[in-house]
Amino acid sequence: MRLPTVASSEGAKRADASAIDGGIPSRALMQRAGAAAATEIGLRFPDLLAHGVVVATGSGNNGGDGWVVARALHATGIPVRVVECKSSSTTDAKAERQLAIDAGVRVDLDLDALVAGQEQLLVDALLGTGITSDEPLMGPIAKGVALLMARQRDGATVVALDVPSGADATSGMHVGSPRCSLTLAFGTLKRCHLVSRERCGATVLLDIGLGDHVDAAGAARLATLEWFARSVPAIAAGAHKGTRKKIAIIGGAEGMAGAAMLAARGALRSGAGMVKCVVARESLMAIQAGEPAALAAVWPESDEAFAHELGDWADVLLIGPGLGKRAARPMMERALRVFRGPVVLDADALNGFEGDAAALAPLIGNREALLTPHPAEFARLTSMDVDGVLRDRFEAPSALAATTRATVLLKGVPTTVASPSGAVMIVAEGTPILGTGGSGDVLGGIAATLLAQTHDAHLGGSLAAFAHGRAAALVSARQVRGFTLEDVLATLPDVWSLQAPHGRPPILCEIPAVGE
């Protein structure tokens, strides 16, 4: 199945150019985009349409999309007027403008007309993907964006075509843009749809006929519920604890037994057959009392002891939950030296290699391996600063994956999962419920189980990130206070049986607004 493409501004332009070079007229793409957008507006806002619609257009092809929307809505009898903030400058936009005017669409050239009238639905077609966050808005476009923002603050509903005007499609930063209720994306998702969800509102990706040309936009794909439902490995009716895989968790330094327990619970609720927590001696009793479904053992003190305890027992090692930085690197080196199977490395397992990511590559070798840093851990590992990691969240994981020979799962909303081979999965699931200590430990347990069951670090990590985020969303997407990771863990079993609803063309995917 083809997953939605997540593109930078340049990537989106490459996809469009590839389609045009392949024989699809650029104006046909514009007409498909505008017609699909008008249909969605009509379906989603029937009550508001009775009061009419205002379309704010700029000079480029985004404005041309707006003219198509205006003509399509007008053709169904909906009162429509276009406030032309700048005259159309592209051939396609000029042609669509003339068609709309010939069809009887009303045009206002006075920008102040944006704040006149009784319409409660405004369509933002001022700017497309070309603006960057280091370019200030100027002139009529700046005024148009400001007036849209004023109408939005007064309660009007704003729908953006492709991206909210003033937002940088690549970085998600903005130089002033309305808080839209809906953004209708064309052909490819732009990174801003995932980074700036509070600005985009709900984002709906519409098929405009790019087909295989979307591959020109880049390698990143969005994980969808349909993909998840199809990709989660089934557990056979005759499965037993051995075939469901054995997960060993190395962590739980003194005072941090809870991290290993949360990881064990994540693994068990993801279908692991057996879990063993290998912890500091001081944490052994806490593990045995707190998680009776898990086996427990003390950190091995030699290669021989490690091989005896885990060498032939575990299918996957999860190293790091509560390990403590002091013990991290020696334990990591021993584990990766003695155990030759797949591994998940999290938290202190990564902190022990601060500034020395390249040293992981020979230890990892050719095994399936998954690193699961949050942005601060990623920054320590790569000697970047956290702001730099967040700015480069779509590219930096691929660079680290190439350096370490491991798949890298950079946590966050969105989460980026990048393999050494160049595959990139973007996971948009998650809520602030996960912004609490121990969340990464739960994810580590899920990921270790799915790595064991899929034998594929990129697939297992992507599935784990989706399940983790979706479980949090099922707990509560509207209220995060008062919920804990135990609520997320209790909901996790419900995630495995989720099925995607039947699609509705031309919608390729939908990302809900924050809080929905």
Side-chain angles (χ1 to χ4, degrees):
M1 62 182 296
R2 178 180 292 282
L3 293 176
T5 298
V6 180
S8 64
S9 174
E10 288 305 312
K13 291 175 184 176
R14 288 196 302 270
D16 288 348
S18 176
I20 293 166
D21 291 345
I24 302 175
S26 59
R27 191 170 169 196
L29 295 177
M30 179 179 289
Q31 289 173 336
R32 292 172 187 174
T39 299
E40 286 307 305
I41 290 169
L43 289 172
R44 291 168 185 266
F45 303 104
D47 295 339
L48 295 179
L49 292 177
H51 303 286
V53 179
V54 178
V55 181
T57 61
S59 60
N61 284 340
N62 193 252
D65 297 333
W67 285 107
V68 178
V69 169
R71 179 164 60 92
L73 293 175
H74 174 78
T76 65
I78 295 167
V80 180
R81 61 189 177 97
V82 173
V83 177
E84 190 175 35
C85 296
K86 289 190 74 173
S87 299
S88 299
S89 62
T90 70
T91 300
D92 292 343
K94 289 177 180 178
E96 292 304 326
R97 177 185 186 276
Q98 191 60 52
L99 274 180
I101 292 173
D102 290 347
V105 173
R106 174 184 164 189
V107 182
D108 283 318
L109 301 180
D110 181 1
L111 268 66
D112 289 326
L114 274 174
V115 292
Q118 300 302 310
E119 300 95 341
Q120 289 299 301
L121 182 61
L122 286 75
V123 177
D124 171 10
L126 290 172
L127 292 171
T129 59
I131 189 171
T132 62
S133 56
D134 55 3
E135 300 177 43
L137 298 179
M138 301 177 66
I141 294 297
K143 182 175 180 181
V145 170
L147 292 174
L148 283 176
M149 293 171 67
R151 287 296 306 274
Q152 176 263 317
R153 288 193 296 268
D154 286 341
T157 296
V158 178
V159 177
L161 302 185
D162 215 13
V163 298
S165 292
D168 185 325
T170 298
S171 71
M173 303 295 289
H174 65 92
V175 289
S177 66
R179 289 182 177 269
C180 301
S181 297
L182 176 68
T183 296
L184 297 166
F186 302 139
T188 57
L189 287 170
K190 285 66 180 181
R191 294 175 179 178
C192 68
H193 298 142
L194 305 173
V195 176
S196 298
R197 289 169 64 177
E198 72 285 352
R199 291 278 163 186
C200 295
T203 294
V204 174
L205 176 61
L206 299 173
D207 183 9
I208 61 171
L210 295 180
D212 291 343
H213 297 289
V214 295
D215 293 337
R221 297 291 184 266
L222 181 77
T224 65
L225 180 55
E226 181 183 10
W227 163 84
F228 177 80
R230 289 188 181 187
S231 302
V232 170
I235 295 177
H240 54 77
K241 61 186 179 183
T243 59
R244 290 174 63 174
K245 304 302 180 181
K246 301 173 183 177
I247 309 301
I249 300 165
I250 302 177
E254 183 178 5
M256 292 188 283
M261 280 191 278
L262 286 169
R265 290 168 187 168
L268 290 165
R269 284 161 178 77
S270 302
M274 297 182 73
V275 174
K276 180 183 287 188
C277 295
V278 184
V279 298
R281 188 172 300 278
E282 297 85 353
S283 298
L284 187 62
M285 289 183 63
I287 292 290
Q288 291 176 314
E291 192 48 64
L295 302 173
V298 175
W299 288 342
E301 296 182 355
S302 67
D303 287 8
E304 293 74 14
F306 193 102
H308 175 75
E309 187 68 55
L310 295 172
D312 295 327
W313 186 88
D315 292 298
V316 167
L317 291 188
L318 166 58
I319 311 174
L323 182 58
K325 191 170 181 179
R326 182 179 62 83
R329 186 147 183 169
M331 186 66 73
M332 268 278 295
E333 291 176 343
R334 171 171 291 152
L336 296 181
R337 184 170 60 246
V338 175
F339 181 78
R340 304 310 305 166
V343 293
V344 177
L345 309 180
D346 182 43
D348 286 326
L350 302 176
N351 291 333
F353 287 80
E354 183 172 348
D356 194 18
L360 283 167
L363 293 169
I364 287 170
N366 295 321
R367 79 182 83 209
E368 288 292 311
L370 177 66
L371 316 184
T372 60
H374 59 54
E377 290 163 349
F378 192 105
R380 285 192 286 270
L381 189 59
T382 59
S383 300
M384 297 175 68
D385 62 79
V386 174
D387 287 342
V389 172
L390 293 175
R391 281 195 304 271
D392 295 336
R393 71 177 81 204
F394 295 96
E395 289 98 355
S398 293
L400 182 58
T403 297
T404 61
R405 303 181 190 171
T407 294
V408 176
L409 186 160
L410 176 59
K411 300 169 191 171
V413 181
T415 290
T416 301
V417 189
S419 76
S421 67
V424 180
M425 187 72 81
I426 309 298
V427 180
E429 303 294 318
T431 79
I433 290 174
L434 299 178
T436 187
S439 178
D441 302 315
V442 172
L443 174 62
I446 301 170
T449 300
L450 291 171
L451 170 54
Q453 294 176 348
T454 62
H455 312 287
D456 184 321
H458 188 253
L459 175 59
S462 300
L463 289 169
F466 190 99
H468 189 232
R470 183 54 68 98
L474 290 178
V475 172
S476 174
R478 297 183 181 277
Q479 173 58 263
V480 300
R481 289 182 176 86
F483 292 109
T484 71
L485 293 175
E486 290 300 329
D487 298 301
V488 175
L489 284 163
T491 305
L492 188 57
D494 297 334
V495 174
W496 308 118
S497 59
L498 287 174
Q499 295 296 317
H502 292 296
R504 177 169 63 81
I507 295 175
L508 295 174
C509 74
E510 183 167 350
I511 301 171
V514 175
E516 292 185 357

Short mmCIF file of all heavy atoms in Angstrom, two decimals, residues 325 329 349-360 376-384 400 403-404:
data_model
loop_
_atom_site.label_atom_id
_atom_site.label_comp_id
_atom_site.label_asym_id
_atom_site.label_seq_id
_atom_site.Cartn_x
_atom_site.Cartn_y
_atom_site.Cartn_z
N LYS A 325 23.73 6.28 34.33
CA LYS A 325 24.82 6.60 33.41
C LYS A 325 26.13 5.93 33.81
O LYS A 325 26.94 5.54 32.96
CB LYS A 325 25.00 8.12 33.33
CG LYS A 325 25.92 8.55 32.20
CD LYS A 325 25.89 10.05 32.01
CE LYS A 325 26.80 10.47 30.86
NZ LYS A 325 26.78 11.93 30.63
N ARG A 329 27.83 2.46 29.94
CA ARG A 329 28.72 2.06 28.85
C ARG A 329 29.33 0.68 29.08
O ARG A 329 29.33 -0.15 28.15
CB ARG A 329 29.79 3.11 28.61
CG ARG A 329 30.65 2.80 27.39
CD ARG A 329 31.11 4.04 26.69
NE ARG A 329 31.87 3.73 25.50
CZ ARG A 329 32.20 4.63 24.59
NH1 ARG A 329 31.84 5.91 24.75
NH2 ARG A 329 32.89 4.30 23.52
N ALA A 349 21.48 3.88 28.05
CA ALA A 349 22.29 3.12 27.11
C ALA A 349 22.86 4.03 26.04
O ALA A 349 23.94 3.79 25.51
CB ALA A 349 21.45 2.02 26.46
N LEU A 350 22.14 5.11 25.71
CA LEU A 350 22.62 6.09 24.74
C LEU A 350 23.44 7.18 25.41
O LEU A 350 24.45 7.64 24.86
CB LEU A 350 21.43 6.70 24.01
CG LEU A 350 20.52 5.70 23.27
CD1 LEU A 350 19.32 6.42 22.68
CD2 LEU A 350 21.30 4.99 22.18
N ASN A 351 23.03 7.59 26.61
CA ASN A 351 23.78 8.64 27.31
C ASN A 351 25.21 8.21 27.60
O ASN A 351 26.10 9.05 27.71
CB ASN A 351 23.07 8.99 28.62
CG ASN A 351 21.75 9.70 28.38
OD1 ASN A 351 21.57 10.37 27.36
ND2 ASN A 351 20.81 9.54 29.31
N GLY A 352 25.44 6.92 27.74
CA GLY A 352 26.79 6.44 27.98
C GLY A 352 27.72 6.65 26.81
O GLY A 352 28.94 6.52 26.95
N PHE A 353 27.16 6.99 25.64
CA PHE A 353 27.97 7.25 24.44
C PHE A 353 27.88 8.72 24.03
O PHE A 353 27.96 9.06 22.86
CB PHE A 353 27.50 6.34 23.31
CG PHE A 353 27.91 4.91 23.49
CD1 PHE A 353 27.18 4.08 24.34
CD2 PHE A 353 29.02 4.39 22.86
CE1 PHE A 353 27.54 2.76 24.54
CE2 PHE A 353 29.39 3.06 23.05
CZ PHE A 353 28.66 2.25 23.90
N GLU A 354 27.73 9.58 25.03
CA GLU A 354 27.60 11.02 24.77
C GLU A 354 28.76 11.52 23.91
O GLU A 354 29.93 11.33 24.22
CB GLU A 354 27.58 11.77 26.10
CG GLU A 354 27.38 13.27 25.95
CD GLU A 354 27.17 13.97 27.28
OE1 GLU A 354 26.94 13.27 28.31
OE2 GLU A 354 27.24 15.21 27.31
N GLY A 355 28.40 12.16 22.80
CA GLY A 355 29.40 12.71 21.89
C GLY A 355 30.21 11.67 21.14
O GLY A 355 31.19 12.02 20.48
N ASP A 356 29.85 10.41 21.23
CA ASP A 356 30.65 9.34 20.64
C ASP A 356 29.75 8.35 19.91
O ASP A 356 29.90 7.13 20.04
CB ASP A 356 31.45 8.64 21.74
CG ASP A 356 32.57 7.75 21.20
OD1 ASP A 356 32.94 7.93 20.02
OD2 ASP A 356 33.03 6.88 21.95
N ALA A 357 28.82 8.86 19.11
CA ALA A 357 27.85 7.99 18.44
C ALA A 357 28.54 7.00 17.52
O ALA A 357 28.07 5.86 17.38
CB ALA A 357 26.86 8.85 17.64
N ALA A 358 29.63 7.38 16.90
CA ALA A 358 30.30 6.49 15.95
C ALA A 358 30.79 5.21 16.61
O ALA A 358 30.93 4.17 15.95
CB ALA A 358 31.47 7.21 15.28
N ALA A 359 31.04 5.25 17.93
CA ALA A 359 31.51 4.05 18.63
C ALA A 359 30.45 2.97 18.70
O ALA A 359 30.76 1.81 18.99
CB ALA A 359 31.97 4.43 20.04
N LEU A 360 29.18 3.33 18.45
CA LEU A 360 28.12 2.33 18.49
C LEU A 360 28.17 1.40 17.28
O LEU A 360 27.77 0.24 17.37
CB LEU A 360 26.75 3.02 18.55
CG LEU A 360 26.33 3.60 19.90
CD1 LEU A 360 25.12 4.51 19.73
CD2 LEU A 360 26.01 2.47 20.87
N ALA A 376 16.62 15.50 23.79
CA ALA A 376 17.79 15.82 24.62
C ALA A 376 18.83 14.70 24.55
O ALA A 376 20.04 14.96 24.48
CB ALA A 376 17.37 16.08 26.06
N GLU A 377 18.38 13.45 24.56
CA GLU A 377 19.31 12.32 24.44
C GLU A 377 19.96 12.31 23.06
O GLU A 377 21.16 12.04 22.92
CB GLU A 377 18.57 11.00 24.70
CG GLU A 377 18.16 10.83 26.15
CD GLU A 377 17.09 9.77 26.35
OE1 GLU A 377 16.49 9.29 25.36
OE2 GLU A 377 16.82 9.43 27.52
N PHE A 378 19.18 12.63 22.04
CA PHE A 378 19.71 12.72 20.69
C PHE A 378 20.79 13.80 20.63
O PHE A 378 21.85 13.60 20.02
CB PHE A 378 18.59 13.03 19.71
CG PHE A 378 18.94 12.87 18.26
CD1 PHE A 378 18.48 11.78 17.55
CD2 PHE A 378 19.73 13.81 17.60
CE1 PHE A 378 18.80 11.62 16.20
CE2 PHE A 378 20.06 13.65 16.26
CZ PHE A 378 19.59 12.55 15.56
N ALA A 379 20.51 14.94 21.26
CA ALA A 379 21.47 16.04 21.25
C ALA A 379 22.77 15.63 21.94
O ALA A 379 23.88 15.93 21.46
CB ALA A 379 20.86 17.26 21.93
N ARG A 380 22.67 14.95 23.09
CA ARG A 380 23.89 14.52 23.78
C ARG A 380 24.68 13.53 22.94
O ARG A 380 25.91 13.59 22.87
CB ARG A 380 23.52 13.90 25.13
CG ARG A 380 23.11 14.90 26.19
CD ARG A 380 23.03 14.27 27.56
NE ARG A 380 21.87 13.42 27.71
CZ ARG A 380 20.68 13.83 28.16
NH1 ARG A 380 20.50 15.11 28.46
NH2 ARG A 380 19.68 12.99 28.29
N LEU A 381 23.99 12.63 22.28
CA LEU A 381 24.66 11.59 21.50
C LEU A 381 25.39 12.18 20.30
O LEU A 381 26.47 11.71 19.92
CB LEU A 381 23.63 10.56 21.05
CG LEU A 381 24.11 9.27 20.39
CD1 LEU A 381 25.03 8.50 21.31
CD2 LEU A 381 22.91 8.41 20.01
N THR A 382 24.82 13.21 19.71
CA THR A 382 25.35 13.77 18.46
C THR A 382 26.09 15.08 18.63
O THR A 382 26.57 15.65 17.64
CB THR A 382 24.21 13.99 17.47
OG1 THR A 382 23.25 14.88 18.06
CG2 THR A 382 23.52 12.68 17.11
N SER A 383 26.16 15.60 19.87
CA SER A 383 26.77 16.91 20.15
C SER A 383 26.04 18.06 19.45
O SER A 383 26.63 19.09 19.13
CB SER A 383 28.25 16.91 19.75
OG SER A 383 28.97 15.92 20.46
N MET A 384 24.76 17.88 19.20
CA MET A 384 23.92 18.96 18.71
C MET A 384 23.27 19.65 19.90
O MET A 384 23.37 19.18 21.03
CB MET A 384 22.82 18.41 17.79
CG MET A 384 23.32 17.73 16.53
SD MET A 384 21.97 16.98 15.56
CE MET A 384 21.09 18.44 14.98
N LEU A 400 22.09 9.98 11.80
CA LEU A 400 22.53 9.16 12.92
C LEU A 400 22.40 7.68 12.60
O LEU A 400 23.25 6.87 12.98
CB LEU A 400 21.73 9.51 14.17
CG LEU A 400 22.12 8.76 15.46
CD1 LEU A 400 23.58 8.99 15.80
CD2 LEU A 400 21.22 9.19 16.62
N THR A 403 25.37 6.67 10.66
CA THR A 403 26.58 6.64 11.49
C THR A 403 26.64 5.39 12.36
O THR A 403 27.70 4.77 12.51
CB THR A 403 26.63 7.89 12.38
OG1 THR A 403 26.73 9.05 11.55
CG2 THR A 403 27.82 7.85 13.33
N THR A 404 25.49 5.00 12.92
CA THR A 404 25.47 3.93 13.93
C THR A 404 25.10 2.56 13.36
O THR A 404 25.21 1.55 14.07
CB THR A 404 24.48 4.27 15.04
OG1 THR A 404 23.16 4.40 14.48
CG2 THR A 404 24.85 5.57 15.74
#
